[in-house]
Amino acid sequence: MKNDKLLLTKIVRLGLALALALLIHVDPSRAQQRLPKTWITILSTTDVHGNILPIDYYTNKPDARGLAQAATIIKAARKENPNLLLIDSGDTIQGTPLSYYHNKRNNEPPDPVMLAMNALGYDAMAVGNHEYNFGLRVLEKARNEARFPWLSANTYREGTDQTYHKPYIVTDANGVRVGILGLTTPGVPTWENKENYRGLEFREPLGEAKKWTAVLREREQVDLVIIAMHMGIERDLRTGELNPGQVRNENAAAAIAEQVPGVDIILMGHTHREVPSLVINGVLLVQADKWARRVARVDVYLEKDEATKRWRTGAKQARTIAVDASVKTDPEIVRLVERYDRETQSWLGRVIGESSAELTAKEARFRDTAILDLIHRVQLATSNAQISMAASFNTQARIPRGPVTVRDIAGLYEYENTLVVIEVTGEQLREALEHSAKYFRTYAPNKPVTDLVDEKVPGYNFDIAEGVTYDIDIAKPLGRRI
Ligand SMILES: [Zn+2]
């Protein structure tokens, strides 16, 4: 009996000690639970390039892409988190025959991409270089039709401190004060017709990011800074080497993440790459693929700091969600652009010529082809120049034997480029061809053919000349190949 009592006392003591130990352990976690918490979701698209319906207009075949399919992903996420932020990183109003037809042939109705983005409830969009392709009148019309701001903190009215677009917005998301800053690649003047950006200048983005992030942090007292930029990663992160073929400051995402204090999230664009999740210096970077083929998603978890009463980021993560064939097309978005699609299709179907043979661009970057000669003939006839230079933009381009339609020609030359005539010396022409020849890696015996192209050099930078005869010797080093 006595022994039993002793045992019981021991058990009670042990129990008390355990309870005490548990209390000590439980207490801090309880305190943590009391800390107010919140969660923000950000969805991001970029380089939509006029893609709304899931179709490739050049082949007239269905293709998984576009805002109508992305809408299904966006709407599902909004059900789960009604206050999510939806942001685009630019190059939206140009890029498909549908947007070309709207901007060049019938600009009366509202911009179709803005209609779709309004319906989806976008919060903001960074301005891309291609927004300038049709001139400022078309740009401003689309911007006015958007029910969300177009952002660019580094685009100024020439010689002033007045930005041409809104630099940033401050918005509330689940109780958190969020600043969204927009930046545009300063390469615009390198690629664009002067009259399409007359009176504007595009300043170096790193300094502008520092300046405006400080405004958001200090004057606007935001808890979270998001930069939506029409720029991507500028260098190989393994070696630190700048990617070849870029204009000065064309991309600055890594430099901004490393050198600008106070940035939390960077939503990238412009380089048409997918970056599911990348952390540089504590900054989370993400990039959705082009054409709304993916939607990028960022989730941020925040806690309120008791002392300062400010929200503090506890954790953040990013990923991209594929817009593949399994993703349904949203009927609301389809309805909005039906009339634009009908007009585009009837224009693309018009017969404008006849070809006696089938022409394909598959090998246009490797040998002389009739399909590229067609571009050269048009350029030489229109300009009266002695030499024509052109790139093979779409290696899938095909002109069938028989009737040729607007669709076939549109597929051959996909961009809204402008033909210019310049006078050059023979030496300058040779240098231009040497520049183009960077498209190829240096050949060594037994190297597989698949390894001959340097994929870091975009195919649209590989110009081919007509009116001169030349060989490219890719066994020779860069600069000595022509
Ligand atoms: Zn783009």
Side-chain angles (χ1 to χ4, degrees):
M1 243 344 239
K2 204 181 170 189
N3 278 351
D4 279 353
K5 200 180 171 186
L6 196 68
L7 185 67
L8 194 68
T9 315
K10 271 187 180 165
I11 289 172
V12 169
R13 272 198 198 140
L14 189 68
L16 271 173
L18 263 174
L20 202 68
L22 271 174
L23 261 178
I24 290 163
H25 280 288
V26 161
D27 219 33
S29 73
R30 269 197 192 152
Q32 240 174 32
Q33 269 167 16
R34 276 200 304 272
L35 262 186
K37 286 184 193 305
T38 194
W39 163 51
I40 298 177
T41 302
I42 303 148
L43 295 186
S44 152
T45 53
T46 188
D47 299 276
V48 168
H49 283 292
N51 284 285
I52 304 170
L53 301 175
I55 183 172
D56 177 345
Y57 282 107
Y58 302 122
T59 59
N60 208 14
K61 288 191 181 128
D63 194 40
R65 60 163 90 174
L67 290 175
Q69 271 188 295
T72 302
I73 290 165
I74 294 165
K75 286 181 176 180
R78 214 185 269 289
K79 256 191 201 152
E80 185 194 338
N81 188 348
N83 296 323
L84 66 78
L85 295 170
L86 180 57
I87 302 167
D88 185 85
S89 292
D91 275 8
T92 55
I93 67 166
Q94 172 278 345
T96 55
L98 181 135
S99 51
Y100 176 86
Y101 192 88
H102 170 72
N103 289 314
K104 292 289 265 197
R105 303 206 155 220
N106 181 14
N107 198 229
E108 275 310 305
D111 182 279
V113 189
M114 293 305 114
L115 281 185
M117 289 172 78
N118 286 341
L120 290 169
Y122 271 79
D123 291 281
M125 168 190 131
V127 182
N129 51 294
H130 282 288
E131 264 68 73
Y132 291 90
N133 284 172
F134 307 98
L136 293 179
R137 195 190 57 78
V138 169
L139 180 152
E140 285 170 12
K141 177 178 171 286
R143 189 175 64 178
N144 287 336
E145 288 155 358
R147 290 204 298 265
F148 52 87
W150 287 29
L151 305 178
S152 180
N154 63 324
T155 308
Y156 287 84
R157 292 185 190 277
E158 221 166 2
T160 74
D161 275 333
Q162 206 189 338
T163 59
Y164 173 60
H165 303 281
K166 235 185 211 303
Y168 65 81
I169 54 164
V170 174
T171 186
D172 176 285
N174 286 344
V176 180
R177 209 169 146 73
V178 180
I180 306 168
L181 178 69
L183 289 172
T184 302
T185 175
V188 176
T190 309
W191 311 304
E192 195 57 73
N193 289 334
K194 184 113 182 106
E195 65 266 30
N196 288 352
Y197 63 93
R198 194 171 290 284
L200 303 180
E201 57 175 306
F202 302 86
R203 293 193 190 152
E204 172 277 309
L206 177 62
E208 292 296 320
K210 277 186 189 155
K211 168 182 156 182
W212 292 104
T213 303
V215 170
L216 285 171
R217 286 283 174 196
E218 286 151 30
R219 197 198 305 159
E220 300 285 1
Q221 293 281 304
V222 301
D223 299 308
L224 192 81
V225 171
I226 301 169
I227 302 185
M229 59 170 73
H230 194 71
M231 284 185 284
I233 303 278
E234 62 272 37
R235 64 175 104 98
D236 187 324
L237 293 174
R238 293 164 299 183
T239 61
E241 265 171 54
L242 280 177
N243 297 334
Q246 298 178 107
V247 310
R248 214 168 105 80
N249 296 320
E250 176 174 348
N251 295 292
I256 289 172
E258 276 158 7
Q259 296 175 50
V260 181
V263 179
D264 296 289
I265 291 146
I266 293 180
L267 309 172
M268 302 183 289
H270 183 57
T271 54
H272 292 196
R273 282 183 54 197
E274 182 209 358
V275 181
S277 177
L278 177 70
V279 178
I280 300 179
N281 186 30
V283 181
L284 181 60
L285 299 96
V286 65
Q287 185 173 350
D289 206 351
K290 63 177 177 178
W291 305 349
R293 289 203 297 200
R294 281 168 191 276
V295 175
R297 174 175 176 141
V298 179
D299 289 285
V300 190
Y301 307 90
L302 302 103
E303 294 169 352
K304 199 163 218 169
D305 190 309
E306 298 277 81
T308 60
K309 302 282 175 224
R310 298 285 299 274
W311 290 103
R312 191 179 55 200
T313 301
K316 52 191 173 186
Q317 62 178 357
R319 67 192 163 99
T320 56
I321 305 160
V323 176
D324 56 25
S326 73
V327 178
K328 274 198 193 140
T329 305
D330 184 83
E332 183 203 354
I333 305 298
V334 172
R335 259 196 311 279
L336 280 177
V337 298
E338 253 167 3
R339 53 182 285 211
Y340 299 85
D341 178 58
R342 227 178 298 123
E343 270 185 329
T344 306
Q345 285 290 15
S346 76
W347 170 64
L348 288 173
R350 264 176 43 201
V351 175
I352 51 167
E354 177 110 9
S355 177
S356 57
E358 188 196 48
L359 314 175
T360 74
K362 221 175 280 163
E363 293 175 349
R365 289 176 187 160
F366 303 100
R367 61 178 187 86
D368 207 347
T369 54
I371 199 164
L372 212 70
D373 284 348
L374 178 61
I375 297 178
H376 287 308
R377 291 252 186 113
V378 170
Q379 295 197 155
L380 290 171
T382 313
S383 65
N384 280 321
Q386 291 167 293
I387 296 160
S388 161
M389 292 190 74
S392 173
F393 291 118
N394 176 11
T395 55
Q396 306 296 310
R398 176 184 161 270
I399 291 174
R401 187 193 161 144
V404 177
T405 61
V406 172
R407 189 188 313 279
D408 303 322
I409 301 302
L412 174 57
Y413 203 102
E414 295 177 338
Y415 297 94
E416 279 77 41
N417 289 345
T418 307
L419 183 60
V420 294
V421 182
I422 54 168
E423 202 170 278
V424 295
T425 63
E427 182 55 25
Q428 285 170 321
L429 176 64
R430 205 192 54 82
E431 277 172 24
L433 292 170
E434 288 287 0
H435 178 82
S436 282
K438 288 180 186 162
Y439 182 69
F440 299 103
R441 291 210 185 98
T442 306
Y443 176 78
N446 303 324
K447 215 175 184 184
V449 182
T450 47
D451 208 27
L452 290 181
V453 169
D454 185 347
E455 74 281 350
K456 281 194 215 132
V457 179
Y460 54 74
N461 280 347
F462 176 46
D463 267 343
I464 297 153
E466 177 77 15
V468 281
T469 308
Y470 64 103
D471 291 311
I472 304 176
D473 184 351
I474 61 168
K476 296 258 170 68
L478 293 181
R480 285 170 38 205
R481 292 177 163 184
I482 303 299

